[in-house]
């Protein structure tokens, strides 16, 4: 295994995946179900060869970070977004914010190796002055838990997490015409762009 070097790396968010309401993490002291979201970010300077549709392709390596889907002032997602933007949200921005706005957004990732030697994202910051924004090389993915058709571009390990969600379990336990409505996320449907 060849870990990504610790330190600062340019990153691009290419996937925002609604994981739904996840069961409690057995390793956490807080045993509660929470609505989760996964951000996937590619690192254009860190390359690897992957097989895609039977063809070897050179693509950026990627890391992901899971957050509780909340914009409460103490929530990890809000702290990460404030750090990424380089400024606080106004009340109006919070009210209309749509997480899809981070798709394609560039950032700096502070990567730290954990005690098992795996990479963790320990900070998301704006690009440094003078750096060039880059376009993502991976196809952009936006997934809402209400969509029962999980895109094939979502990795298998993420698909398994989605399958564990309360929303997915509920949908698969009912016939299509009896399915209960899924809860909407708390960010609303306002399409106003928030600059990143």
């Amino acid at each position: 295994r060849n870990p990504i070097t610790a330190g600062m790396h340019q990153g691009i968010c290419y996937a925002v995946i609604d994981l739904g309401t996840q069961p409690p993490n057995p390793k956490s002291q807080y045993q509660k179900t929470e609505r989760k979201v996964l951000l996937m970010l590619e690192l254009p300077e860190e390359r690897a060869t992957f097989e895609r549709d039977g063809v070897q392709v050179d693509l950026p390596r990627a890391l992901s970070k899971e957050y509780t889907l909340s914009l409460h002032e103490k929530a990890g997602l809000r702290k990460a977004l404030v750090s990424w933007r380089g400024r606080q949200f106004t009340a109006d921005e919070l009210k209309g914010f749509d997480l899809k706005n981070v798709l394609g957004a560039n950032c700096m990732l502070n990567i730290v190796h954990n005690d098992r030697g795996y990479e963790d994202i320990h900070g998301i910051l704006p690009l440094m002055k003078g750096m060039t924004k880059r376009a993502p090389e991976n196809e952009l993915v936006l997934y809402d838990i209400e969509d029962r058709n999980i895109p094939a571009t979502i990795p298998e390990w993420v698909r398994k997490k989605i399958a564990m969600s309360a929303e997915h379990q509920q949908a698969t336990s009912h016939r299509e015409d009896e399915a209960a409505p899924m809860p909407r996320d708390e960010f609303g449907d306002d399409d106003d762009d928030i600059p990143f």
Side-chain angles (χ1 to χ4, degrees):
R1 189 178 176 277
N2 181 24
I4 293 168
T5 312
M8 299 300 288
H9 294 261
Q10 184 169 359
I12 307 157
C13 181
Y14 72 92
V16 176
I17 301 170
D18 183 352
L19 297 174
T21 306
Q22 290 288 313
N25 181 344
K27 296 176 184 173
S28 171
Q29 60 178 335
Y30 305 107
Q31 292 297 303
K32 58 181 180 177
T33 58
E34 292 181 311
R35 185 78 176 264
K36 299 285 188 177
V37 64
L38 186 75
L39 302 184
M40 300 185 78
L41 302 109
E42 63 181 50
L43 285 67
E45 300 299 330
E46 295 281 332
R47 314 295 298 186
T49 303
F50 301 93
E51 187 174 313
R52 184 171 283 180
D53 300 324
V55 179
Q56 295 290 315
V57 290
D58 175 69
L59 285 171
R61 294 176 71 185
L63 291 175
S64 61
K65 184 83 173 173
E66 185 178 307
Y67 296 96
T68 297
L69 188 58
S70 170
L71 287 180
H72 184 275
E73 61 183 350
K74 293 182 178 176
L77 177 61
R78 178 161 166 186
K79 290 176 182 175
L81 292 170
V82 166
S83 175
W84 190 344
R85 290 160 47 96
R87 63 183 170 88
Q88 292 288 343
F89 284 96
T90 65
D92 283 345
E93 286 173 339
L94 273 177
K95 194 167 53 174
F97 184 71
D98 192 326
L99 198 53
K100 73 180 181 186
N101 291 336
V102 302
L103 273 178
N106 280 236
C107 60
M108 295 302 297
L109 297 173
N110 183 16
I111 297 173
V112 175
H113 291 171
N114 64 26
D115 55 9
R116 293 175 294 133
Y118 287 93
E119 308 92 336
D120 283 336
I121 296 172
H122 269 250
I124 305 180
L125 302 162
L127 284 186
M128 291 184 282
K129 247 184 183 169
M131 287 188 71
T132 303
K133 285 185 180 179
R134 298 176 72 158
E137 295 177 56
N138 284 289
E139 181 183 333
L140 295 182
V141 178
L142 180 63
Y143 175 73
D144 187 310
I145 197 68
E146 291 184 32
D147 185 354
R148 295 185 191 150
N149 299 313
I150 303 171
T153 49
I154 292 181
E156 185 61 29
W157 68 271
V158 181
R159 296 165 72 88
K160 286 179 179 174
K161 281 196 78 95
I162 292 168
M164 290 169 40
S165 71
E167 293 83 355
H168 188 82
Q169 297 286 325
Q170 182 182 11
T172 54
S173 68
H174 291 79
R175 288 196 351 242
E176 189 74 30
D177 58 350
E178 296 173 346
M182 301 296 172
R184 294 300 302 163
D185 69 54
E186 60 216 73
F187 296 134
D189 295 317
D190 195 324
D191 285 333
D192 290 345
D193 284 344
I194 302 298
F196 266 84

